[in-house]
Amino acid sequence: MNEDIIIQLIGEAIQARENSYAPYSGYCVGAALLCSDGGIITGCNVENASYGATNCAERTAVFKAVSEGRKSFTAIAIAGGKEGAAELDYAYPCGVCRQVLREFCEPSAFIVIVCRSSTDYKIMTLEELLPCSFGPDNLK
Ligand code: THU
């Protein structure tokens, strides 16, 4: 994957994290989803006093994109860490977010970037994170 695009996605994810609403966990996450048309859709986690109603950053980005008519994606960058901490984590997507990404992305081709900064990140495919997955084709 083009390194300029990776750096751009990481920057957008870190910026999106600024909007995180995480008063309960204090764990702030931002995501930047690269669409096949080259557009970038961002998202953050949005928590709720009824904890189960919380939405993760990755799903916020996917749902925003789909609701705006985009359903084909090539990569996502994720930036997460405790509010006020000196450094970000490598914030791997939770199981539910992996499955939501699976709905719209080709597992062997879709790239997941977990980043601590624009120079400190890890890259893997969705297939590595969610092997032997269940997807839309199973219902055809
Ligand atoms: N969170 C995400 O935004 N993405 C993930 O993949 C893992 C968890 C959020 C949800 C919640 O607001 C906080 O991190 C702590 O679980």
Side-chain angles (χ1 to χ4, degrees), residues 70-99:
R70 287 157 145 141
K71 294 190 195 67
S72 180
F73 312 115
T74 53
I76 192 167
I78 304 160
K82 284 294 276 185
E83 192 173 12
E87 294 179 327
L88 296 176
D89 294 336
Y90 295 120
Y92 290 90
C94 77
V96 175
C97 288
R98 293 177 197 200
Q99 183 64 34

Side-chain angles (χ1 to χ4, degrees), residues 20-22 25-30 44-48 54-60 78 91-98:
S20 165
Y21 177 72
S25 72
Y27 195 84
C28 301
V29 187
C44 65
N45 56 332
V46 183
E47 296 190 347
N48 193 281
T54 291
N55 209 55
C56 290
E58 300 91 320
R59 275 178 286 148
T60 301
I78 304 160
Y92 290 90
C94 77
V96 175
C97 288
R98 293 177 197 200

Side-chain angles (χ1 to χ4, degrees), residues 63-130:
F63 295 154
K64 277 174 67 182
V66 173
S67 69
E68 292 171 13
R70 287 157 145 141
K71 294 190 195 67
S72 180
F73 312 115
T74 53
I76 192 167
I78 304 160
K82 284 294 276 185
E83 192 173 12
E87 294 179 327
L88 296 176
D89 294 336
Y90 295 120
Y92 290 90
C94 77
V96 175
C97 288
R98 293 177 197 200
Q99 183 64 34
V100 168
L101 287 165
R102 170 67 183 88
E103 184 70 20
F104 300 101
C105 308
E106 170 52 44
S108 61
F110 185 78
I111 299 294
V112 177
I113 304 156
V114 290
C115 62
R116 300 181 70 198
S117 74
S118 60
T119 55
D120 183 359
Y121 56 85
K122 295 185 187 190
I123 293 185
M124 64 225 76
T125 63
L126 182 59
E127 190 169 45
E128 289 174 298
L129 292 172
L130 190 70

